[in-house]
């Protein structure tokens, strides 16, 4: 407790807070944090690559040239070539597109779902709470990646409402419906705390409906949890996508980091390290950047948590 | 306490029932059944299977029955220890999974011990020397470990062990022991192989555990009772290891419930890469081949393992922290 008091009084001395919002404060803290800025830069670069590649490399398959089979890194192939003489650099860039879009879409599904379910469980309590808690405890009884593998198998050759579950969309959904649990837990706990606060009680006494309170008073106050989890969820989703495509359960006919590693499995023994290194390096930097950025974001949005 | 444990065990039953339904539905969802995938396999090897033979096979395995009937057949056997029959291996499931589950458990548990053995001392060191060079070095190292996927680490470890150290990394036993019954020699042989996957699986959980230990220790060392103890003249060693550690280790014990699924997932993936005779590779193959009783039993046992792990962590917590004694 003394710790919290000192942080608050410290920042009060340095910068008197006059009419600044939570978001403004957080943004200021982040901008002053060099590690966070660098990591955000890395993330932006990956995101740009992910957006541009599909247009820039739309015809990548035509590049097959058996003459360049296993070409070592050179000025023609900056990162070498694979067994079909395809540029490893191009494959890595397309892999960035796959990973980033899968992680983004999975979180777009998972985070709002988790927030909504968490807030409903925490605010309404009773049997609704029991049901939601019971739902995620049951789901978590099967370890994450094993659950994902089973779901991906179940999605094979399935088309639901015109959505091909075997392709990218299937990955979005499989990861999305698996990723909401962490957010739901945190939001639920926070909502249970908020529910008892005076301003919520006052709003209730004024006759505001429960769902309206949920949207107007609870949701904005758990938003930061959603944002923090969005960035941390990225790491999980990227790793999961890599594992799935390594096991050949990812997207078919498109290069991805996991598949590159699977391809390069045997290359390492014959000294052809470049494909494995390219994919691993690509994974490494984005995961590193999201990990650090997520942590800094949490510190910025929720300074109380800093040493907890 | 006994009352609490019994109640928790009873609570598991409805959860397990729902999981069993879920598991069965998920396994049945992929198109076709085992006979279909067998047929496809036969066609690939240019042998022709007659329609009648296939129908007969389906009937023999009970695959022509409606889904709920198959479910009840499986689950009613499951509770009395008959886990069904593996179509692919033509052997009862119970013979196939016993040893593999035990090895998965050994691998996960070994990684857990490995993580704690390394992470706790480092966490304590980092907390006591906050912001020192050592503290920074350890946390940077931990973050690096966090950013390389488990299975890439497994690949690299395999490469290092096989080509640089001249050992063997595939499997858990040397060839001469592979099909031997269990003996002390085989056990030692397993231990000599197990350390590679243990390190690989453990590496991923290390960073988080180190950080948890460090932060929790930092918080406890700021408490007033620690200051009091120091003022009384209690030795620093006793302050840290007797007074502080006992409270600081609590998040570790609660974290056990979170750690276990991660370890099991990790060990499954690493086992697939390294070709270990644990649940991982066989589970993947059983899903591919629609070997539903085998896949279902694996999922059920992993779920049971996890539930028991959670219970264990709750019991440990109640023992270590008298404040949490449950009514």
């Amino acid at each position: 407790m003394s710790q919290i008091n000192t942080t608050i009084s410290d920042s009060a001395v340095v910068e008197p807070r006059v009419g600044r919002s939570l978001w403004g404060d957080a943004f200021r803290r982040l901008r002053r944090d060099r590690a966070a800025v660098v990591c955000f830069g890395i993330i932006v670069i990956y995101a740009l690559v992910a957006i541009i590649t599909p247009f820039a490399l739309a015809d990548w398959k035509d590049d097959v040239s058996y003459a360049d089979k296993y070409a070592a890194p050179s000025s023609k192939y900056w990162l070498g070539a694979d067994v079909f003489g395809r540029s490893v650099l191009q494959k890595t860039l397309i892999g960035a597109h796959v990973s980033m879009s899968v992680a983004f879409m999975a979180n777009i599904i998972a985070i709002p779902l988790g927030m909504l379910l968490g807030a409903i469980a925490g605010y309404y309590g009773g049997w609704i709470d029991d049901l939601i808690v019971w739902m995620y405890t049951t789901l978590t009884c099967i370890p994450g990646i094993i659950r994902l593998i089973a779901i991906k198998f179940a999605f094979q050759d399935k088309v639901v409402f015109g959505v091909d579950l075997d392709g990218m969309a299937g990955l979005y959904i499989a990861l999305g419906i698996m990723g909401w649990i962490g957010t739901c837990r945190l939001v639920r706990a926070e909502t249970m705390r908020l529910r008892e606060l005076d301003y919520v009680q006052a709003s209730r006494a004024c006759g505001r409906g429960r769902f309206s309170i949920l949207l107007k008073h609870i949701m904005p106050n758990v938003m930061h949890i959603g944002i923090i989890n969005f960035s941390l969820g990225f790491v999980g989703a990227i790793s999961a996508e890599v594992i799935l495509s390594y096991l050949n359960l990812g997207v078919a006919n498109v290069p991805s980091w996991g598949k590159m590693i699977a391809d390069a499995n045997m290359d390492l023994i014959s000294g052809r390290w470049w494909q494995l290194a390219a994919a691993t390096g690509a994974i490494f930097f984005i995961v590193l950047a999201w990990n650090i950025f997520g942590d800094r974001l949490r510190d910025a949005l929720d300074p109380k948590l800093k040493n907890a | 306490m006994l009352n609490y444990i019994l109640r928790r065990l009873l609570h598991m039953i409805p959860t397990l029932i729902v999981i069993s339904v879920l598991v069965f539905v998920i396994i049945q969802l992929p198109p076709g059944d085992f006979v279909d995938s067998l047929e496809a396999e036969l066609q690939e090897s240019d042998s022709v299977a007659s329609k009648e033979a296939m129908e007969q096979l389906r009937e023999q395995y009970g695959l022509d029955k409606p889904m709920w009937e198959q479910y009840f057949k499986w689950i009613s056997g499951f509770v009395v220890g008959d886990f069904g029959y593996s179509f692919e291996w033509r052997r009862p499931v119970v013979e196939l999974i016993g040893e593999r589950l035990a090895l998965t458990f050994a691998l996960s548990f070994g990684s857990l011990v490995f993580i704690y053995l390394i992470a706790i001392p480092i966490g304590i060191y980092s907390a006591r020397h906050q912001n020192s060079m050592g503290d920074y070095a350890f946390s940077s190292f931990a973050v690096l470990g966090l950013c390389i996927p488990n299975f890439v680490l497994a690949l690299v470890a395999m490469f290092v062990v096989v080509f640089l150290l001249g050992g063997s990394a595939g499997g858990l036993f040397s060839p001469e022991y592979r099909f031997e019954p269990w003996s002390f020699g085989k056990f030692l042989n397993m231990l000599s192989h197990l350390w590679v996957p243990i390190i690989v699986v453990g590496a991923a959980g290390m960073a988080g555990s180190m950080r948890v230990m460090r932060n929790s220790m930092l918080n406890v060392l700021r408490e007033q009772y620690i200051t009091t103890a120091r003022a009384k003249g209690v030795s620093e060693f006793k302050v840290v290891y007797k007074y502080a550690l006992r409270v600081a280790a609590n998040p570790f014990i609660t974290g056990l419930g979170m750690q276990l699924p991660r370890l099991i997932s990790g060990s499954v993936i690493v086992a697939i890469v390294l070709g270990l005779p644990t649940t991982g590779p066989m589970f993947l193959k059983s899903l591919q081949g629609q070997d539903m009783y085998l896949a279902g039993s694996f999922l059920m046992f992993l779920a049971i393992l996890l539930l028991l792990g959670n219970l264990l962590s709750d019991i440990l917590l109640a023992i270590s922290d008298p404040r949490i004694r449950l009514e």
Side-chain angles (χ1 to χ4, degrees), chain B residues 197-248:
Chain B
I198 281 183
I199 291 178
V200 171
V201 175
M206 197 67 82
S209 301
M210 266 161 64
R211 195 152 56 176
V212 167
M213 190 67 226
R214 178 180 178 273
N215 291 344
S216 153
M217 197 68 183
L218 273 177
N219 278 339
V220 174
L221 284 178
R222 280 194 207 104
E223 296 275 337
Q224 286 177 344
Y225 79 98
I226 296 291
T227 317
T228 313
R230 282 192 178 132
K232 279 199 307 190
V234 177
S235 73
E236 185 64 21
F237 181 84
K238 229 176 169 182
V239 167
V240 173
Y241 291 95
K242 192 178 170 197
Y243 287 45
L245 183 59
R246 191 163 170 187
V247 178

Side-chain angles (χ1 to χ4, degrees), chain A residues 134 138 140-146 150 153-154 156 158 242-243 246 261 265 268-269 280 284 287-288 291 295 307, chain B residues 18-19 29-31 143-144 146-147 151-152 155 159 163 211 219 265 269 273 283 287-288 299 302-303 306-307:
Chain A
W134 176 82
T138 307
T140 44
C141 281
I142 302 170
I145 196 69
I146 295 164
F153 268 109
Q156 263 171 10
K158 286 247 158 38
V242 169
I243 290 174
Y246 176 79
I261 294 171
N265 218 336
L268 199 58
I269 295 164
T280 311
F284 179 81
V287 171
L288 183 73
N291 260 328
D295 271 2
N307 267 315
Chain B
V18 177
I19 293 176
L29 269 180
V143 172
L144 295 191
L146 202 67
C147 297
F151 66 101
V152 177
L155 281 174
F159 179 73
F163 290 93
R211 195 152 56 176
N219 278 339
S265 297
I269 301 303
V273 176
F283 170 67
L287 274 179
Q288 267 157 1
L299 282 173
L302 287 178
L306 248 175
L307 281 171

Side-chain angles (χ1 to χ4, degrees), chain A residues 121 128-140 184 188:
Chain A
I128 300 179
D129 186 31
D130 288 344
L131 183 73
I132 292 175
V133 170
W134 176 82
M135 210 157 77
Y136 67 64
T137 40
T138 307
L139 270 178
T140 44
C184 179
R188 173 176 169 268

